[in-house]
Amino acid sequence: MKGKKLISLALSLTMVLSLAACGSGETQPTSEPSGSAALYTAGTYSAEAQGMESTVKVTVTVSESAITDVTIDVSGETAGYGADVGEPMKDAILEAQSAEVDGVSGATITSDAVKAAVQKCLDQAMGKEDTTADGYQPGTYTATVAGHNGDMTVEVTFDETSITDVKVTDHKETYGLGYGLSTSPVEALPAAIVENQSLAVDSVASATVTSAAIKQAVADCATQAGGDAEALKSAPVDRPAPADETYDVDVVVVGAGAAGLAAANTALEAGANVLILEKVGVTGGSTTRSGGKILGAGTPWQEAQDFEDTPEMMYEYLMSFDRDGIMDEDLVWAFCENSAENIQWLVDRGVKIQDVEPIHSSLTPWRVHNVEGGGGQTSGHGGQFCVPLTNAYEEAGGKIIYNCRANELLTDESGAVVGVKGEKSDGSIVTVNAPAVILATGGYAHNEEMMAKYSDFLPTNAYSGVPMTNVGDGIEMATAVGAKNFDAPGLQLVYVSYDCYCGINEESGLIVSEDGNRVVNEWSYQSHVAQALADADSTCGYYITASKDGQCVEPYPTLAGGIQIESVPHASTIEELAGLIGVDAATLQATVDRYNELCAKGSDDDFGKPAEYMIPVEGDTYYAFRMTPGSSVTFGGLQIDTGAHVLDTNDQPIPGLYAAGEVAFTGLFDAEYPCCGMAIGSAIYYGRVAAANAVAGQ
């Protein structure tokens, strides 16, 4: 089993695409049937349809009786998914001589758009009249579709010729991503659809699933009203012509996650002229997708729950993770010393803190603070940080340029950073001249080259919960002007079963590596369990448990929604179970025997698990829940000092350049993630520090 590659959703898609494209040679157009009656007017025809994130463009060439060539432009779709459907779908269409072909697995919306556009081309070639979206039965219609997190209900009102209103009346989308901001799909798309009388309006980048759901629901309602939903999907949208822009400001912030929003608000409040460049269509980045937790010591919320804590205690705890001697004592201490004030700063700007929790019972005192509605090992609550900070910034007159990817730092003859360049999604160039640039671009969890150093235990990071846009652009821009990039020995890891979600809670059962060895005290914080598996170069883990006489033997995981226990590898003996999961039978048997021996003894002499959580693996049926690795927070990157200045390769500040957050986590972490809330807390704190020094010219 050792070294076996993890098959992820993304890799599965790649295999599907590869299989669809491979064969004995290059696919050739289907030859014309001899003597066939004319089907088409020979020529080349073009059409468009709305995909997941962009307009899909198709050109079809036909003879009088056959499709002879197809050109498919899906370059605006997501890399690794929709952007890869072109060749396999071209081959399928040519072979079938029809638009009615199977789509590519994992890229349904893009596939459907390709098929719709091809059919429009064929309709043109057959002389069929183009239909319009005009003509509805007046009234209000409702459709329920699948959104990102559950069912979404949309209500659409029509008069005889147009859409007059679109409302999302019920949904379960993520706050600060699917809804909650002026640019979120729930807020922005209905108005855009009504204004343009089209479903070809741009989806909100980074919230494409929610965007697609709204469009699907409106199309459904249009059909109910007797309209032409397909015509709506390709109805023209009035977009301004791309035009380059230049700005002169005091401070430019690149990225609008926790660090960037904290920096932008701080600089704006200090009287600076501030501009944010945001890569996608909404603010929040990784923070919005997080559980909404922040670390702090000596806070009123701790006092209210009778926990005594100090910055010194928190500092000692965090520094206990400095196994390689790479953590920066000054950086860690500055954050700890100001952690309580850091949380109060957020509260003063509208963030609501709910309580403190332990994250794991072994971690006391409790110092992980939840935003309102948060708690436990959950995600999607980080918008409670980002929405208030976004609103505060924009209401105070701050400007954000959305859908603009920064790609170059500008320097003067002395090497000082004096601005940044970026490219908008329409191809236009944005140039920002500023004496201070603050990088807050996030980490590199989806940069395959940067992540390759972790491939021994993390061959793919497809299960990461961070945006696909986290590819390390800030690191690349800064290193191009002489900044130091530190390759960290680790990153925030979790090994989790998608059958039952064991691996992120307080586990009492037996966890083994892919070799069948026990490597850790299972009843410890999730990152500690994960790091032990990573240190063993294990590309997965297994949670081993049992049932007896049909009854669950504790600890027995709760199955995830829709999963049946029969689908989990199980056998009547450990030897059989080992064969099912590809583990050496003798090794796994010896591991289980040793674990049961320690359970009977009442003392975990190997790893120190508390006796009350030592529950033997005994029964008549044994189960193995596969635990898949994934990472969200990446460590290392740019090196900053306590003033958030970016340092060069000689450890000297680069004039005009500052950084905060995941782009600059060197010195704040070693190999193991110490506690939930550390990443967001330190990002916000150093974002504020960066802005204060940028405004002061220090």
Side-chain angles (χ1 to χ4, degrees):
M1 187 72 178
K2 183 117 174 139
K4 187 175 181 180
K5 293 294 184 182
L6 171 67
I7 304 299
S8 70
L9 294 177
L11 292 178
S12 297
L13 174 61
T14 301
M15 292 177 66
V16 170
L17 294 173
S18 299
L19 290 172
C22 70
S24 59
E26 184 176 338
T27 301
Q28 299 296 328
T30 302
S31 60
E32 291 186 37
S34 176
S36 299
L39 294 174
Y40 310 114
T41 299
T44 298
Y45 302 86
S46 298
E48 299 180 353
Q50 179 60 38
M52 170 67 87
E53 295 188 75
S54 66
T55 300
V56 171
K57 301 176 182 178
V58 167
T59 299
V60 177
T61 301
V62 297
S63 66
E64 290 186 348
S65 58
I67 304 171
T68 60
D69 195 18
V70 180
T71 301
I72 300 171
D73 181 0
V74 287
S75 57
E77 299 293 87
T78 302
Y81 294 89
D84 292 341
V85 310
E87 286 303 314
M89 291 208 68
K90 172 183 176 178
D91 293 345
I93 291 164
L94 287 171
E95 181 177 355
Q97 287 293 296
S98 170
E100 294 303 315
V101 296
D102 291 335
V104 174
S105 175
T108 303
I109 294 175
T110 306
S111 299
D112 287 347
V114 170
K115 290 190 284 184
V118 169
Q119 188 59 56
K120 291 175 189 175
C121 292
L122 296 179
D123 287 346
Q124 294 174 50
M126 289 187 285
K128 294 183 179 180
E129 291 185 7
D130 187 25
T131 58
T132 69
D134 291 341
Y136 302 104
Q137 182 66 38
T140 298
Y141 300 83
T142 300
T144 298
V145 298
H148 188 277
N149 300 332
D151 284 348
M152 172 189 291
T153 301
V154 177
E155 188 178 272
V156 184
T157 303
F158 301 87
D159 62 19
E160 289 84 353
T161 60
S162 62
I163 303 170
T164 61
D165 193 26
V166 177
K167 293 178 181 176
V168 180
T169 59
D170 188 40
H171 66 85
K172 299 179 177 65
E173 303 306 272
T174 303
Y175 184 58
L177 186 60
Y179 79 106
L181 296 165
S182 61
T183 59
S184 299
V186 169
E187 284 77 13
L189 276 190
I193 291 169
V194 172
E195 179 182 354
N196 291 278
Q197 293 295 300
S198 174
L199 293 177
V201 296
D202 293 335
S203 294
V204 178
S206 203
T208 53
V209 175
T210 304
S211 300
I214 294 172
K215 293 180 181 182
Q216 180 185 343
V218 174
D220 189 335
C221 290
T223 300
Q224 294 177 51
D228 187 339
E230 290 305 312
L232 267 180
K233 292 177 182 178
S234 58
V237 174
D238 185 18
R239 295 182 175 90
D244 295 346
E245 304 168 25
T246 299
Y247 296 87
D248 296 299
V249 299
D250 300 321
V251 178
V252 58
V253 179
V254 185
L261 290 169
N265 274 281
T266 299
L268 194 65
E269 291 170 11
N273 181 11
V274 185
L275 178 66
I276 297 177
L277 300 184
E278 170 52 47
K279 191 175 185 179
V280 298
V282 288
T283 60
S286 299
T287 303
T288 293
R289 293 162 170 79
S290 75
K293 303 178 189 301
I294 186 168
L295 210 56
T299 72
W301 296 274
Q302 287 179 304
E303 294 174 6
Q305 292 177 237
D306 297 324
F307 285 102
E308 182 178 341
D309 194 14
T310 66
E312 289 79 8
M313 293 167 62
M314 189 168 90
Y315 171 79
E316 290 177 7
Y317 171 75
L318 294 177
M319 290 302 299
S320 71
F321 288 83
D322 188 23
R323 71 177 190 178
D324 297 306
I326 61 175
M327 292 177 67
D328 187 311
E329 295 180 358
D330 293 335
L331 284 175
V332 176
W333 170 246
F335 166 61
C336 293
E337 184 179 29
N338 294 282
S339 61
E341 183 273 336
N342 197 43
I343 296 176
Q344 186 59 51
W345 182 87
L346 290 169
V347 171
D348 292 342
R349 284 149 188 81
V351 176
K352 296 180 180 179
I353 300 297
Q354 175 179 285
D355 55 16
V356 292
E357 64 175 338
I359 294 301
H360 193 280
S361 298
S362 62
L363 303 182
T364 56
W366 299 3
R367 55 172 64 103
V368 178
H369 294 64
N370 288 309
V371 294
E372 187 175 59
Q377 298 293 352
T378 56
S379 60
H381 293 289
Q384 296 283 357
F385 290 121
C386 297
V387 172
L389 291 179
T390 301
N391 290 341
Y393 175 74
E394 292 186 322
E395 289 168 5
K399 181 176 175 60
I400 303 175
I401 299 179
Y402 291 97
N403 301 304
C404 181
R405 179 185 180 273
N407 52 28
E408 180 186 358
L409 291 172
L410 306 177
T411 58
D412 64 14
E413 61 280 357
S414 71
V417 172
V418 293
V420 64
K421 273 191 175 183
E423 182 177 357
K424 296 174 71 174
S425 56
D426 64 6
S428 60
I429 303 300
V430 174
T431 302
V432 185
N433 300 309
V437 177
I438 301 175
L439 296 177
T441 52
Y444 52 88
H446 290 298
N447 184 313
E448 293 184 8
E449 183 178 348
M450 291 184 179
M451 291 291 290
K453 57 194 173 187
Y454 307 119
S455 61
D456 285 347
F457 56 86
L458 190 63
T460 175
N461 200 31
Y463 290 93
S464 175
V466 304
M468 295 298 294
T469 50
N470 277 31
V471 292
D473 0 35
I475 296 173
E476 292 176 342
M477 282 189 290
T479 54
V481 297
K484 177 192 293 185
N485 176 25
F486 177 70
D487 282 335
L491 68 174
Q492 178 267 326
L493 272 175
V494 62
Y495 281 64
V496 60
S497 165
Y498 291 95
D499 292 329
C500 65
Y501 298 122
C502 63
I504 59 173
N505 299 302
E506 300 187 354
E507 313 301 356
S508 302
L510 171 63
I511 292 176
V512 300
S513 68
E514 65 182 0
D515 291 331
N517 293 309
R518 186 175 181 228
V519 295
V520 70
N521 163 12
E522 298 87 350
W523 194 80
S524 54
Y525 180 51
Q526 59 183 348
S527 288
H528 184 64
V529 174
Q531 190 59 47
L533 290 167
D535 287 342
D537 288 342
S538 188
T539 63
C540 70
Y542 288 101
Y543 186 93
I544 309 296
T545 188
S547 67
K548 187 173 184 179
D549 299 327
Q551 300 297 313
C552 302
V553 177
E554 293 297 337
Y556 193 78
T558 301
L559 293 175
I563 294 174
Q564 302 297 314
I565 188 63
E566 292 78 11
S567 67
V568 178
H570 60 284
S572 58
T573 67
I574 292 295
E575 181 179 8
E576 289 180 63
L577 184 67
L580 292 176
I581 61 176
V583 173
D584 179 74
T587 300
L588 185 60
Q589 186 67 65
T591 298
V592 172
D593 289 345
R594 172 61 176 170
Y595 180 72
N596 288 344
E597 174 190 334
L598 295 174
C599 290
K601 182 179 180 181
S603 174
D604 184 6
D605 298 342
D606 293 345
F607 294 101
K609 182 193 285 188
E612 61 266 35
Y613 302 109
M614 292 291 291
I615 302 173
V617 179
E618 297 174 338
D620 50 38
T621 305
Y622 299 91
Y623 299 88
F625 292 83
R626 183 186 176 99
M627 300 168 63
T628 301
S631 176
S632 296
V633 181
T634 52
F635 301 162
L638 305 180
Q639 174 72 64
I640 59 173
D641 59 19
T642 55
H645 306 95
V646 175
L647 304 183
D648 64 17
T649 54
N650 295 315
D651 294 325
Q652 297 301 307
I654 298 175
L657 187 60
Y658 307 80
E662 205 172 345
V663 69
F665 270 171
T666 299
L668 287 166
F669 302 95
D670 193 313
E672 184 177 326
Y673 191 55
C675 192
C676 294
M678 174 62 178
I680 290 176
S682 59
I684 291 170
Y685 173 69
Y686 280 107
R688 296 171 58 207
V689 170
N693 286 326
V695 173
Q698 298 177 346

